[in-house]
Amino acid sequence: MKPLLILPFVLGLLNCGGDETLSGYGAAEREWHLVEIGGAAFETEAVVQFPEEGKINGRAPCNSFSGQQLQPYPWFQVEALAVTRRACPELPEETAFFKALEQMTLAEVVGETLILSNTEGGEMVFEAR
């Protein structure tokens, strides 16, 4: 009879996991402003947010976007990205932003800094503001 009493406790532990995505590790409730891509300063405005578990949204130089980021921290992968379709003079910078964002595979939150990177040496550095 005792093993049956333990089963509900074990099942409860399995179902009580918290947010294992980037939003659960210091990235939520902040606006992250891009300051560098690949070591070069990013001169236009681009912002990412992680408003809740598994979600990413933000503003690129021309358009707003939203999507999913379901990988557990420190892994990172943008999926199902939806982007508005507005043209502007900063479209080349926006293209570079989205290309880099889709290539990132790792994330690290250090205080007011968010670093997205990949094993090929790509890196995006964001600051909370």
Side-chain angles (χ1 to χ4, degrees):
M1 194 70 156
K2 287 183 183 179
L4 292 178
L5 294 175
I6 294 174
L7 185 59
F9 176 73
V10 171
L11 291 175
L13 286 177
L14 292 175
N15 290 327
C16 72
D19 181 357
E20 293 296 321
T21 67
L22 190 53
S23 62
Y25 283 83
E29 300 178 16
R30 296 183 186 194
E31 278 197 349
W32 297 98
H33 295 257
L34 182 62
V35 293
E36 286 182 18
I37 293 182
F42 193 75
E43 301 295 333
T44 59
E45 181 74 10
V47 177
V48 297
Q49 294 176 296
F50 303 91
E52 61 186 72
E53 182 176 0
K55 303 289 183 190
I56 183 174
N57 64 36
R59 298 178 312 274
C62 302
N63 292 284
S64 299
F65 65 93
S66 64
Q68 298 177 349
Q69 195 302 113
L70 301 172
Q71 298 298 315
Y73 187 81
W75 306 110
F76 181 85
Q77 180 180 358
V78 174
E79 299 174 9
L81 200 59
V83 181
T84 59
R85 298 176 149 270
R86 196 183 113 197
C88 76
E90 292 84 17
L91 208 48
E93 290 87 351
E94 178 165 296
T95 300
F97 167 76
F98 282 123
K99 182 178 179 182
L101 187 65
E102 291 176 346
Q103 293 175 349
M104 299 299 109
T105 57
L106 295 167
E108 180 179 9
V109 177
V110 181
E112 300 296 309
T113 303
L114 166 64
I115 302 168
L116 301 179
S117 62
N118 62 34
T119 57
E120 291 80 35
E123 186 174 83
M124 299 176 82
V125 179
F126 297 81
E127 291 179 353
R129 293 188 194 152

